[in-house]
Amino acid sequence: YPLFQRGGPQLRIFRPNFFMLAVRPGVPQPEDTVQFRVSMEMTKVDIRNYLERIYNVPVAAVRTRIQYGANNKRNHKNQREKKPDYKVAYVQLGQGQTFQFPNLFPEKEQDTETRSFDDFRSKYMEKEKQKQEGDPRRGGVPDWFGL
Amino acid sequence: MAALGARGLLRPGRRWFSQTEPTAPSPASGPLYPPVVASLTAKSKAAQQRRRELFKQQVHEAGTVEEKLRLYGKLQRPKYMVYPQTFALNADRWYRSFTNTVFVPGMPPVAAAAGAAPEAGGAPAVGAPGAATSPGAATDSGAAINPEPAAGALPPLDMGELRSLACDALLQESFYQNKKRPFLYRDQEHTPGPFLTQLVSTLAAFLSGRNPLLAASSLDLKPEVNYYWQHGEEVVAHGHRKGRVDPVRFQIDDKPHLQIRVPKQLPEVVPLDSNLGDVPVINHKPSKLPLFKKQYENKVYIGSKVADPCCYGHTQFHLIPDRLKRERLIKARLEDQIEVVYRSNGIASLFAWTAAQAMYQGFWSEADVTRPFVSQAVVTDGKYFAFFCYQLNTLALTAETLKNNPRKNICWGTESKPLYDVVEDGNVKDFNDEVLLHLVRFLLNRPKEL
């Protein structure tokens, strides 16, 4: 890049690794608060601009913290394995909007085929278990025990 | 030794009484054995309950109010610091849930009617204020609704004079006086602060002739008001006390700009057990507001110590700081939070003040108030004024006492209205008389006996 002097054109382009991942909060959050995992280099101002300009989401307040990833687990060579650190952002939406993290794995309604197959499978497992057990009249005593 | 030996041989099987004749055993004057109660030091729920009962008994039996306050705030644990002037979003809803308060927009009707009586004489003659000038009003002191008896003998309030007082104070601070430019983020203490002090002190002095309570009052400059309370329960998350159920502790440390304390209490606005609305229930932890915990002295203070004769509150004046100014909130596109700032300031400050006044009279969460405590507040940023009136009906906010407590505290509040539009060339444009009248009504508020 040519040497930059005051008043000259700014020719460098910076492309930081800015990403935001909406996550389900571990602890219940108020209705207007959304929890994100963001890149470690993003600041509160960056997060606000990102949401407002790219996604047109009105942002009232942003609070961030850095979660330290633990370093206690050890691998087969007894070396410590570090879980990566990440930054968490709590964004309060403006204009009275609310957000509830959706249920990504809803229980699907089973059709008759799957239901009857499940019934058949459970009955089969019960029969197998009963075959494994011995005579109920022996009261749980194994059949090799005896004279 | 010989006597002992002789006694043993004397008459075995018979008791040796000091008196000669064996009489029937006297009836038991009291229980022979001490009562069977749980231990005090064991690690059991019964022992914990007994320790709590012992603490409550000690506070009940404390001789002086200072001793009660000392025992009440003796145990220090991490507590949430509640700031009346906060940037947190929708803080007034959270504060209402912490203090068990109902917010009613507008002013209470009794205060409006009582204030309508000493109306401006400068305004064209209206029927009701016209009666204030009649000397006959002085005779009907028995009428409860008619508050003019004291004012009936005085001339009606001159709106022009009050307006000139207010404009004088405003012009002196902002126009006539040569001040240097304010330092960065110190605008509020440069002009609106001194203006408010000047306005309140001149108005209070002017109106003390009409209101004998003001004449006996005490005006504090930048006093401190503190209150410590517990509300509800939570499970401790981290630390050596993890898993235990603890009360949620709060502390308010407030520094109003001005405060008027009086020796007699303001009258109640509505009866003690009235229900004017609902208290918001928030099931999240207060730390989500955001609110932060710290451990320090549990202070309960109204602005003066217990022995001061002016132990009841009349009016507080709050100045909004620079970081919560209207312009900053509008620039950050948080226009709906402007009123929230005023409301949260009014609710939190007034709750702390009235509750501390109640504690100074010996009430606390186990000994609930028997009469409501009423105080007023004006929250301003120099130009916009918002008026609040608070009635404290209950102090019982701990988990056990809150379960069966039907009483709620009530806060009336107005929206913020401008007092003037702009100050130019020695003139105050668009002076708003209503706001000034409201302020005068607040200052003239007094108990019915006076």
Side-chain angles (χ1 to χ4, degrees):
Chain A
Y1 296 110
L3 188 68
F4 175 74
Q5 280 155 335
R6 202 163 70 164
Q10 297 188 15
L11 290 177
R12 298 189 200 211
I13 302 175
F14 295 94
R15 290 176 40 205
N17 182 20
F18 277 4
F19 66 86
M20 289 187 69
L21 176 71
V23 295
R24 176 189 291 282
V27 193
Q29 296 284 339
E31 293 84 28
D32 59 345
T33 308
V34 192
Q35 188 167 335
F36 291 96
R37 282 196 193 182
V38 301
S39 154
M40 290 279 272
E41 287 84 26
M42 281 177 91
T43 62
K44 290 181 187 179
V45 181
D46 288 331
I47 292 168
R48 183 189 288 267
N49 289 341
Y50 188 102
L51 284 174
E52 281 181 346
R53 295 194 193 174
I54 302 178
Y55 292 98
N56 291 328
V57 172
V59 170
V62 181
R63 296 188 292 276
T64 57
R65 67 177 176 93
I66 295 186
Q67 178 61 52
Y68 167 74
N71 201 5
N72 301 327
K73 290 259 156 65
R74 298 205 176 228
N75 59 8
H76 63 282
K77 297 183 190 173
N78 207 29
Q79 294 162 340
R80 273 179 302 175
E81 273 181 336
K82 163 112 182 130
K83 292 189 178 147
D85 301 335
Y86 54 91
K87 190 179 256 194
V88 180
Y90 301 92
V91 174
Q92 278 187 305
L93 303 172
Q95 291 158 24
Q97 293 185 5
T98 58
F99 178 78
Q100 191 64 30
F101 196 83
N103 185 5
L104 297 173
F105 306 104
E107 293 229 347
K108 270 192 283 223
E109 262 206 35
Q110 289 176 335
D111 52 346
T112 37
E113 268 190 41
T114 0
R115 245 181 280 138
S116 60
F117 178 67
D118 279 338
D119 288 337
F120 176 73
R121 192 168 48 178
S122 50
K123 279 193 199 122
Y124 179 73
M125 294 307 287
E126 272 180 38
K127 267 188 234 156
E128 287 291 304
K129 259 194 229 150
Q130 273 196 338
K131 270 190 219 164
Q132 293 269 333
E133 291 162 9
D135 194 357
R137 290 175 294 181
R138 284 176 64 88
V141 178
D143 51 359
W144 47 261
F145 184 79
L147 294 167
Chain B
M1 293 297 276
L4 282 173
R7 256 207 291 213
L9 291 168
L10 198 52
R11 259 160 303 189
R14 280 253 199 129
R15 295 249 192 102
W16 172 259
F17 284 106
S18 50
Q19 291 100 9
T20 43
E21 50 194 34
T23 55
S26 57
S29 53
L32 286 177
Y33 300 99
V36 177
V37 283
S39 144
L40 257 185
T41 49
K43 194 181 159 187
S44 67
K45 293 230 165 54
Q48 196 186 47
Q49 190 63 24
R50 188 150 169 245
R51 283 193 290 270
R52 283 201 196 126
E53 298 297 320
L54 182 67
F55 166 71
K56 285 178 209 170
Q57 190 197 346
Q58 275 173 341
V59 181
H60 279 299
E61 285 167 8
T64 59
V65 171
E66 285 100 336
E67 183 63 21
K68 260 197 194 168
L69 291 177
R70 189 188 76 86
L71 288 171
Y72 176 73
K74 192 160 109 163
L75 178 62
Q76 276 190 21
R77 280 272 153 76
K79 58 194 174 181
Y80 287 109
M81 298 178 292
V82 175
Y83 291 97
Q85 294 175 331
T86 174
F87 53 79
L89 305 176
N90 299 328
D92 72 320
R93 201 167 154 262
W94 289 79
Y95 286 2
R96 270 185 286 151
S97 87
F98 297 151
T99 60
N100 205 7
T101 310
V102 170
F103 184 77
V104 179
M107 273 287 121
V110 175
E119 268 289 331
V126 188
T133 56
S134 66
T139 52
D140 43 339
S141 50
I145 313 168
N146 190 351
E148 285 117 6
L154 297 161
L157 273 179
D158 187 10
M159 210 50 229
E161 208 173 324
L162 290 169
R163 201 186 303 136
S164 68
L165 276 177
C167 291
D168 277 344
L170 186 55
L171 288 169
Q172 174 69 17
E173 289 304 324
S174 47
F175 183 70
Y176 291 126
Q177 199 170 357
N178 274 338
K179 293 184 187 175
K180 289 191 199 160
R181 262 180 44 201
F183 194 71
L184 186 63
Y185 301 133
R186 282 205 215 167
D187 285 318
Q188 293 294 96
E189 64 182 58
H190 189 258
T191 313
F195 159 58
L196 190 63
T197 319
Q198 198 58 36
L199 177 72
V200 170
S201 28
T202 40
L203 279 180
F206 183 73
L207 296 168
S208 56
R210 287 171 188 275
N211 189 355
L213 196 65
L214 274 184
S217 69
S218 158
L219 179 72
D220 302 333
L221 303 169
K222 299 218 171 58
E224 222 184 86
V225 172
N226 311 79
Y227 185 60
Y228 165 76
W229 81 101
Q230 300 173 348
H231 172 91
E233 272 180 346
E234 66 171 0
V235 178
V236 180
H238 307 287
H240 66 281
R241 303 187 71 240
K242 182 174 168 176
R244 289 167 221 202
V245 173
D246 239 11
V248 185
R249 294 165 287 265
F250 298 93
Q251 168 90 33
I252 290 185
D253 297 311
D254 186 25
K255 285 189 97 111
H257 190 75
L258 282 170
Q259 181 173 285
I260 298 179
R261 278 177 299 113
V262 288
K264 291 211 177 62
Q265 201 181 349
L266 287 175
E268 68 172 33
V269 183
V270 286
L272 194 59
D273 285 313
S274 33
N275 187 356
L276 293 178
D278 283 320
V279 178
V281 173
I282 298 182
N283 293 325
H284 296 103
K285 282 168 62 167
S287 56
K288 307 275 181 269
L289 173 57
L291 216 54
F292 299 99
K293 278 197 171 181
K294 202 162 91 157
Q295 178 174 322
Y296 56 106
E297 190 201 351
N298 300 331
K299 198 166 167 188
V300 176
Y301 194 63
I302 64 167
S304 61
K305 296 197 180 163
V306 182
D308 194 300
C310 295
C311 53
Y312 295 104
H314 189 268
T315 322
Q316 263 184 347
F317 293 86
H318 295 269
L319 196 61
I320 299 232
D322 284 285
R323 54 172 202 279
L324 295 172
K325 277 196 306 202
R326 226 162 243 264
E327 295 85 25
R328 277 180 80 104
L329 288 175
I330 291 172
K331 209 165 71 162
R333 281 180 279 168
L334 291 168
E335 292 87 3
D336 43 345
Q337 300 297 320
I338 295 176
E339 289 303 319
V340 167
V341 166
Y342 286 92
R343 279 202 298 264
S344 60
N345 197 353
I347 292 175
S349 304
L350 281 174
F351 170 75
W353 205 28
T354 45
Q357 289 167 41
M359 288 211 81
Y360 269 34
Q361 301 308 310
F363 301 108
W364 60 298
S365 45
E366 302 294 324
D368 212 353
V369 293
T370 49
R371 59 184 195 274
F373 283 76
V374 174
S375 286
Q376 300 165 134
V378 177
V379 184
T380 172
D381 69 346
K383 189 166 150 190
Y384 288 83
F385 283 71
F387 299 91
F388 295 91
C389 178
Y390 196 94
Q391 172 162 326
L392 184 86
N393 293 327
T394 173
L395 272 183
L397 300 173
T398 55
E400 313 163 346
T401 49
L402 191 61
K403 263 189 290 197
N404 309 325
N405 191 8
R407 297 195 210 160
K408 296 166 200 164
N409 304 320
I410 309 169
C411 182
W412 289 269
T414 63
E415 301 217 334
S416 52
K417 293 189 192 104
L419 179 66
Y420 60 93
D421 192 25
V422 75
V423 177
E424 266 178 20
D425 293 339
N427 294 330
V428 178
K429 297 241 164 96
D430 282 336
F431 195 85
N432 194 347
D433 281 343
E434 285 172 27
V435 173
L436 187 61
L437 197 57
H438 210 147
L439 186 60
V440 165
R441 266 186 234 151
F442 259 32
L443 288 172
L444 284 175
N445 201 1
R446 58 182 179 272
K448 298 207 176 46
E449 308 86 52
L450 286 180

